[in-house]
Amino acid sequence: MSRLAMLFDASRCIGCKSCQVACKQWWGLPASETTQVGTYENPTDLEPNTWARVTFHEYEANGQFQWLFLAWGCVHCTQAACVDVCPTGALKHNALGFVSLERELCNGCGYCSQACPFKVPRMETVNLLTGEARASKCTFCQDRATNGLTPACVKTCPPGALEWGERDALLEKAHARVEWLQSRGYDQAQVYGETELGGLGRLFVLTAPPEAYGLPVNPQYSTLVASWQQVVQPLGYLAVAATTLGLAFNWLATRRARLSNIEAVEPDATEESEA
Amino acid sequence: MATSTASKPCKDRRQVLVMRFTAGERVAHWVHFIAFTILLGTGMFLYMPALRPFAVGEAGEASRLAHRAAAVLFMAAPLVYLIWSPRDFFYSLREALTWGPDDLGWLRAAWGYYTRGDTARMPPQGKYNAGQKFNALTQIITFILFVVSGLIMWFGRGVVSPAIFVGSVIVHDLSVIATVALFILHIYLVAVHPLMRESITAMFEGTVTEEFAREHHGKWLAEQEQERVYRRCRDE
Ligand code: HEM
Ligand code: SF4
């Protein structure tokens, strides 16, 4: 089966937040109390109970003011740091092409929330002292997707800015749309997510550069995370193996010396002292 | 000779016991040992993919909780030592941190000593030989690293930057690697190495035979003879 993906077309988005609400509705997530801080964004960040969010950005190009909207949530990386650091397997690559999260397997260590280059997974901390917590993030509605349905946000989106389907077909569509946008004067129009971190499961058609949307231009798998997984852990096994092996040799050498000392003591006790 | 009450001769010279570790020192050592073992076991559930079944869901939550409880014990162990045996605490600290020509001599003679039992070239050692000083030094450094990185992982998530959090996991893991290698060496020397096994009675009973003390910590024994009343016969 070829990989499924989501395409968000910013040029079609009207900033209505239906996707945000549909996500809450499908997953039964309570709304959090917010305050007005001078933006239409509400809440102002992802939360343990807010996995999808529309962000608003003011942008000026060629003397023209634009208001940009972005439907944001986990982008389902191919090289997913969260999957690699998860010690329980609660975060996994699903064969359909997204990063699933099984909350019953999560033990609350929180490594994913610190390794993700997009700061996506959020920890619901039940008790700071005992460390009881649970990770949460967008799973492309794994329950719906694995049963052949489209994610709740896609299903809802009134102007059809969100689409769900085979990744290759969506990429083709995205490039065609960008070409069309460019011919209409959006010379900064571009596709985001095609190659980032091995290719994202959430693709974007943007009308302005990624920075204007608050997206990282060249998101990286942190070298610290990579060295923890690929250098430090193997180093541990190596150190234990080397120590044990060295001591095994020492044991053999000492035992042999002891045996020959005992033999040597009887006939010629002065064997050792050369001084 | 010393003013020791036990200076009356024992029936057998090999029965003369010398006090090596006080009760406070021994309790601190075993609290540290128990805490370390629990921390190592529960930490490994997260470290080794092969142990994943223990890291999952509620089992993982329980082991993370045990890790935190043991961490409190781990941090308390040096305090037990300090409060119960302040004199020995500072004596040992000074001993472990002071390096001299005898340590160089130990390093030169160590190979022959630990493989052939060649005692001739080994200069008399203080309460701790160079190997034990190296162990103590690593324990002190990694203790600080464990506490700092562990507390960051415990209370710092979302407070410190992700780079500092991930860096703390790496520091934590490197400390694990250093201490586990030493832990294996330590267990080997006290429980397996054919020539050193007697040293473990010092941690259980507090005493070693005078013969062992003379052979392994001659300088310290001489010091003891002048300073403290620490001898008794085995059957008393
Ligand atoms: C003051 C002492 C310590 C504290 C506060 C502490 C705390 C922590 C915390 C908070 C974690 C993260 C996982 C979680 O949230 O439950 C952790 C992981 C870990 N700890 Fe400790 N710890 C301490 C000492 C030790 C010691 C002495 C060892 C081993 C000898 C150890 C071995 C580990 C290991 C192996 C991990 C897993 C790291 C990984 O995932 O790669 N810890 N510790
Ligand atoms: S965006 Fe973050 S949470 Fe989502 S797959 Fe990538 S690393 Fe994992």
PDB file of all heavy atoms in Angstrom, chain A residues 19 59 70 99 110 139 146 160 221 244 248 266 274:
ATOM      1  N   CYS A  19     -11.379  22.598  11.690  1.00  0.00           N
ATOM      2  CA  CYS A  19     -10.530  21.417  11.883  1.00  0.00           C
ATOM      3  C   CYS A  19     -10.166  21.260  13.355  1.00  0.00           C
ATOM      4  O   CYS A  19     -10.178  20.151  13.905  1.00  0.00           O
ATOM      5  CB  CYS A  19      -9.269  21.527  11.026  1.00  0.00           C
ATOM      6  SG  CYS A  19      -8.380  23.085  11.202  1.00  0.00           S
ATOM      7  N   TYR A  59       1.794  39.103   7.331  1.00  0.00           N
ATOM      8  CA  TYR A  59       2.929  39.015   6.413  1.00  0.00           C
ATOM      9  C   TYR A  59       2.796  40.105   5.357  1.00  0.00           C
ATOM     10  O   TYR A  59       1.707  40.354   4.836  1.00  0.00           O
ATOM     11  CB  TYR A  59       2.935  37.635   5.746  1.00  0.00           C
ATOM     12  CG  TYR A  59       4.003  37.437   4.705  1.00  0.00           C
ATOM     13  CD1 TYR A  59       5.359  37.465   5.053  1.00  0.00           C
ATOM     14  CD2 TYR A  59       3.656  37.196   3.368  1.00  0.00           C
ATOM     15  CE1 TYR A  59       6.343  37.257   4.096  1.00  0.00           C
ATOM     16  CE2 TYR A  59       4.632  36.990   2.411  1.00  0.00           C
ATOM     17  CZ  TYR A  59       5.965  37.017   2.781  1.00  0.00           C
ATOM     18  OH  TYR A  59       6.933  36.824   1.829  1.00  0.00           O
ATOM     19  N   LEU A  70      -2.512  28.673   9.054  1.00  0.00           N
ATOM     20  CA  LEU A  70      -1.865  27.372   8.933  1.00  0.00           C
ATOM     21  C   LEU A  70      -2.569  26.380   9.863  1.00  0.00           C
ATOM     22  O   LEU A  70      -2.743  26.651  11.048  1.00  0.00           O
ATOM     23  CB  LEU A  70      -0.388  27.490   9.335  1.00  0.00           C
ATOM     24  CG  LEU A  70       0.477  26.260   9.128  1.00  0.00           C
ATOM     25  CD1 LEU A  70       0.886  26.145   7.665  1.00  0.00           C
ATOM     26  CD2 LEU A  70       1.717  26.310  10.008  1.00  0.00           C
ATOM     27  N   VAL A  99       2.574   8.562  12.064  1.00  0.00           N
ATOM     28  CA  VAL A  99       3.157   8.187  13.355  1.00  0.00           C
ATOM     29  C   VAL A  99       2.032   8.022  14.357  1.00  0.00           C
ATOM     30  O   VAL A  99       1.372   8.989  14.735  1.00  0.00           O
ATOM     31  CB  VAL A  99       4.168   9.246  13.834  1.00  0.00           C
ATOM     32  CG1 VAL A  99       4.682   8.903  15.225  1.00  0.00           C
ATOM     33  CG2 VAL A  99       5.333   9.339  12.838  1.00  0.00           C
ATOM     34  N   GLY A 110       8.405  11.304  28.670  1.00  0.00           N
ATOM     35  CA  GLY A 110       8.488  12.643  28.087  1.00  0.00           C
ATOM     36  C   GLY A 110       9.633  12.877  27.122  1.00  0.00           C
ATOM     37  O   GLY A 110       9.842  14.009  26.669  1.00  0.00           O
ATOM     38  N   THR A 139      -2.663  12.041  15.627  1.00  0.00           N
ATOM     39  CA  THR A 139      -2.286  10.735  15.071  1.00  0.00           C
ATOM     40  C   THR A 139      -2.903  10.541  13.685  1.00  0.00           C
ATOM     41  O   THR A 139      -3.004   9.406  13.221  1.00  0.00           O
ATOM     42  CB  THR A 139      -2.776   9.603  15.987  1.00  0.00           C
ATOM     43  OG1 THR A 139      -4.203   9.664  16.031  1.00  0.00           O
ATOM     44  CG2 THR A 139      -2.208   9.739  17.399  1.00  0.00           C
ATOM     45  N   THR A 146      -7.127   3.858   9.993  1.00  0.00           N
ATOM     46  CA  THR A 146      -6.905   2.426   9.806  1.00  0.00           C
ATOM     47  C   THR A 146      -8.194   1.707   9.431  1.00  0.00           C
ATOM     48  O   THR A 146      -8.173   0.533   9.085  1.00  0.00           O
ATOM     49  CB  THR A 146      -6.331   1.783  11.089  1.00  0.00           C
ATOM     50  OG1 THR A 146      -7.122   2.200  12.201  1.00  0.00           O
ATOM     51  CG2 THR A 146      -4.887   2.211  11.326  1.00  0.00           C
ATOM     52  N   GLY A 160     -12.329  22.945   1.737  1.00  0.00           N
ATOM     53  CA  GLY A 160     -11.528  21.889   1.139  1.00  0.00           C
ATOM     54  C   GLY A 160     -10.045  22.195   1.119  1.00  0.00           C
ATOM     55  O   GLY A 160      -9.321  21.759   0.221  1.00  0.00           O
ATOM     56  N   TYR A 221      16.912  16.739  12.548  1.00  0.00           N
ATOM     57  CA  TYR A 221      16.930  15.723  13.599  1.00  0.00           C
ATOM     58  C   TYR A 221      18.121  16.097  14.470  1.00  0.00           C
ATOM     59  O   TYR A 221      19.253  16.075  14.016  1.00  0.00           O
ATOM     60  CB  TYR A 221      17.149  14.376  12.921  1.00  0.00           C
ATOM     61  CG  TYR A 221      16.913  13.159  13.771  1.00  0.00           C
ATOM     62  CD1 TYR A 221      15.910  12.260  13.444  1.00  0.00           C
ATOM     63  CD2 TYR A 221      17.716  12.887  14.856  1.00  0.00           C
ATOM     64  CE1 TYR A 221      15.704  11.119  14.191  1.00  0.00           C
ATOM     65  CE2 TYR A 221      17.515  11.745  15.615  1.00  0.00           C
ATOM     66  CZ  TYR A 221      16.507  10.866  15.277  1.00  0.00           C
ATOM     67  OH  TYR A 221      16.330   9.745  16.024  1.00  0.00           O
ATOM     68  N   THR A 244      34.043  -6.859  31.264  1.00  0.00           N
ATOM     69  CA  THR A 244      33.847  -8.253  31.648  1.00  0.00           C
ATOM     70  C   THR A 244      34.932  -9.146  31.043  1.00  0.00           C
ATOM     71  O   THR A 244      35.504 -10.006  31.716  1.00  0.00           O
ATOM     72  CB  THR A 244      32.455  -8.735  31.188  1.00  0.00           C
ATOM     73  OG1 THR A 244      31.497  -7.750  31.552  1.00  0.00           O
ATOM     74  CG2 THR A 244      32.097 -10.045  31.833  1.00  0.00           C
ATOM     75  N   ALA A 248      37.750 -11.363  32.959  1.00  0.00           N
ATOM     76  CA  ALA A 248      37.822 -12.817  32.760  1.00  0.00           C
ATOM     77  C   ALA A 248      39.281 -13.223  32.523  1.00  0.00           C
ATOM     78  O   ALA A 248      39.774 -14.198  33.095  1.00  0.00           O
ATOM     79  CB  ALA A 248      36.947 -13.227  31.585  1.00  0.00           C
ATOM     80  N   GLU A 266      56.717 -25.160  47.693  1.00  0.00           N
ATOM     81  CA  GLU A 266      57.259 -26.391  48.269  1.00  0.00           C
ATOM     82  C   GLU A 266      58.749 -26.616  47.953  1.00  0.00           C
ATOM     83  O   GLU A 266      59.572 -26.571  48.863  1.00  0.00           O
ATOM     84  CB  GLU A 266      56.445 -27.619  47.802  1.00  0.00           C
ATOM     85  CG  GLU A 266      54.964 -27.362  47.690  1.00  0.00           C
ATOM     86  CD  GLU A 266      54.206 -27.487  48.993  1.00  0.00           C
ATOM     87  OE1 GLU A 266      54.308 -26.580  49.875  1.00  0.00           O
ATOM     88  OE2 GLU A 266      53.496 -28.479  49.131  1.00  0.00           O
ATOM     89  N   GLU A 274      63.350 -11.208  43.938  1.00  0.00           N
ATOM     90  CA  GLU A 274      64.560 -10.950  43.172  1.00  0.00           C
ATOM     91  C   GLU A 274      65.339  -9.791  43.773  1.00  0.00           C
ATOM     92  O   GLU A 274      66.484  -9.554  43.442  1.00  0.00           O
ATOM     93  CB  GLU A 274      64.205 -10.667  41.719  1.00  0.00           C
ATOM     94  CG  GLU A 274      63.035  -9.714  41.582  1.00  0.00           C
ATOM     95  CD  GLU A 274      62.597  -9.535  40.138  1.00  0.00           C
ATOM     96  OE1 GLU A 274      61.811 -10.345  39.614  1.00  0.00           O
ATOM     97  OE2 GLU A 274      63.093  -8.571  39.544  1.00  0.00           O
TER      98      GLU A 274
END
